[in-house]
Amino acid sequence: MGIEYKNVTKSYGDRMIIPPFHLEIHEGEFLTIIGESGSGKTTIMKMINGLVEPDSGEIQMNGENIANMDMIQLRRKIGYAIQGNILFPHLTVKENIAYVLRLLGNSEEKIDEIVENLLEMVNLSIEEKEKYPSELSGGQKQRVGIARSIAASPDVLLMDEPFGALDAITKHQLQKEMKAIHKKLGTTIVFITHDISEALKLGTRVMVMSKGEIQQIGTPREIVEEPANEYIQELIETAFIRWEEEV
Ligand SMILES: Nc1ncnc2c1ncn2[C@@H]1O[C@H](COP(=O)(O)OP(=O)(O)OP(=O)(O)O)[C@@H](O)[C@H]1O
Ligand SMILES: [Mg+2]
């Protein structure tokens, strides 16, 4: 699904967090968003699934204003993965992942099949599926959350720093999986990260934000070869020099 922000604004008290904001997210693209803390990345993302309402302007999905849509229907089409503990504590791993699949009326057999595939995809062993979230490590919970967000093959997948708390190997594995899922399903993905290497590696387009505004949006190559300002230039340099500093 294509998404369009038209003249969207948001203030909290007398602070304007998002000045008039325009953006078109193309159907099937993998848009990564990066920018300093507090620049409005999460706010912009939450407007897509209605968790934040703009003060003015509108967000359209395939040309229709989401403010006029049935929120429950809309959210079923949107996968959402965030950092931190977002699992239902009273449900097992399997039931957490299966939650939307059940709402959509899938058979038990189908659910078992999908859940097993997803567990493998996010690098969790089948034995974990009867566990409760309190019996998992932080990284394992994170992976269950990712599996849940993609379980129902959503049209749009929103991911807010989903790999922040993961070890390097799992992170690398999931990055590969996300690329594969995107390629296979053509899902429109919006992905927030603080890791410029990740933003460049995953995005078909990369958007850099500061103070609620888009500093630059373009392909990874455009961002690297023609950074629009010093901040972006520096951001990119950190991606390249980090390794040298660490060894
Ligand atoms: N519910 C709220 N009430 C008041 N201020 C808010 C609220 N939600 C967000 N803000 C403010 O809006 C600004 C943007 O927040 P947002 O969460 O979008 O930033 P972000 O770019 O996602 O930052 P981070 O990288 O730290 O996650 C921040 O200054 C934040 O303090
Ligand atoms: Mg955020």
Side-chain angles (χ1 to χ4, degrees):
M1 279 199 287
I3 299 159
E4 192 170 355
Y5 293 77
K6 289 187 159 177
N7 228 1
V8 165
T9 67
K10 183 76 192 173
S11 297
Y12 286 111
D14 54 10
R15 279 186 63 213
M16 186 168 249
I17 303 298
I18 308 292
F21 186 89
H22 306 271
L23 170 68
E24 212 174 315
I25 302 174
H26 309 131
E27 170 146 20
E29 81 171 313
F30 196 141
L31 179 70
T32 53
I33 304 178
I34 189 163
E36 62 215 25
S37 184
S39 58
K41 304 178 298 294
T42 298
T43 304
I44 283 294
M45 174 174 277
K46 284 182 172 174
M47 287 179 180
I48 298 176
N49 57 1
L51 292 176
V52 170
E53 241 181 275
D55 295 335
S56 63
E58 62 180 68
I59 322 264
Q60 295 186 343
M61 213 164 264
N62 288 347
E64 195 188 337
N65 186 350
I66 64 162
N68 300 331
M69 294 183 184
D70 179 323
M71 251 327 132
I72 294 171
Q73 293 279 32
L74 177 73
R75 288 194 187 140
R76 276 187 201 163
K77 289 188 222 161
I78 300 178
Y80 188 44
I82 58 175
Q83 200 182 325
N85 192 0
I86 51 147
L87 302 177
F88 301 121
H90 58 290
L91 295 181
T92 61
V93 166
K94 177 185 164 184
E95 291 309 320
N96 263 284
I97 297 174
Y99 191 75
V100 181
L101 296 171
R102 281 199 197 287
L103 290 177
L104 295 173
N106 287 277
S107 70
E108 198 59 41
E109 207 183 351
K110 186 78 193 160
I111 287 174
D112 276 335
E113 186 193 320
I114 297 175
V115 169
E116 286 191 13
N117 274 334
L118 287 166
L119 285 173
E120 197 186 326
M121 211 180 253
V122 298
N123 214 6
L124 279 171
S125 79
I126 299 288
E127 287 97 76
E128 315 288 0
K129 78 176 177 183
E130 298 306 331
K131 281 193 179 171
Y132 286 87
S134 62
E135 301 166 318
L136 300 174
S137 75
Q140 287 173 325
K141 277 187 248 188
Q142 195 62 32
R143 283 177 271 160
V144 175
I146 291 163
R148 189 177 65 180
S149 73
I150 55 180
S153 308
D155 295 334
V156 177
L157 186 51
L158 307 178
M159 307 186 90
D160 195 346
E161 302 184 40
F163 305 156
L166 298 174
D167 65 278
I169 292 173
T170 306
K171 183 168 166 168
H172 179 69
Q173 163 115 12
L174 283 170
Q175 286 170 343
K176 280 202 303 192
E177 290 300 348
M178 285 318 302
K179 268 194 113 108
I181 287 166
H182 179 249
K183 207 166 165 191
K184 190 167 144 206
L185 304 176
T187 314
T188 307
I189 302 177
V190 185
F191 186 110
I192 298 174
T193 176
H194 276 289
D195 177 347
I196 182 69
S197 313
E198 182 168 81
L200 294 168
K201 185 155 49 161
L202 293 181
T204 52
R205 277 204 302 170
V206 178
M207 176 165 102
V208 186
M209 280 185 76
S210 172
K211 301 188 176 70
E213 296 185 76
I214 301 174
Q215 300 288 301
Q216 187 172 7
I217 184 164
T219 62
R221 180 174 286 270
E222 282 163 355
I223 301 279
V224 171
E225 291 182 354
E226 295 163 58
N229 57 38
E230 234 167 80
Y231 169 69
I232 301 171
Q233 173 86 44
E234 242 176 77
L235 202 61
I236 290 158
E237 277 166 14
T238 61
F240 291 116
I241 60 177
R242 196 181 307 143
W243 181 79
E244 285 169 24
E245 277 177 356
E246 278 172 7
V247 290

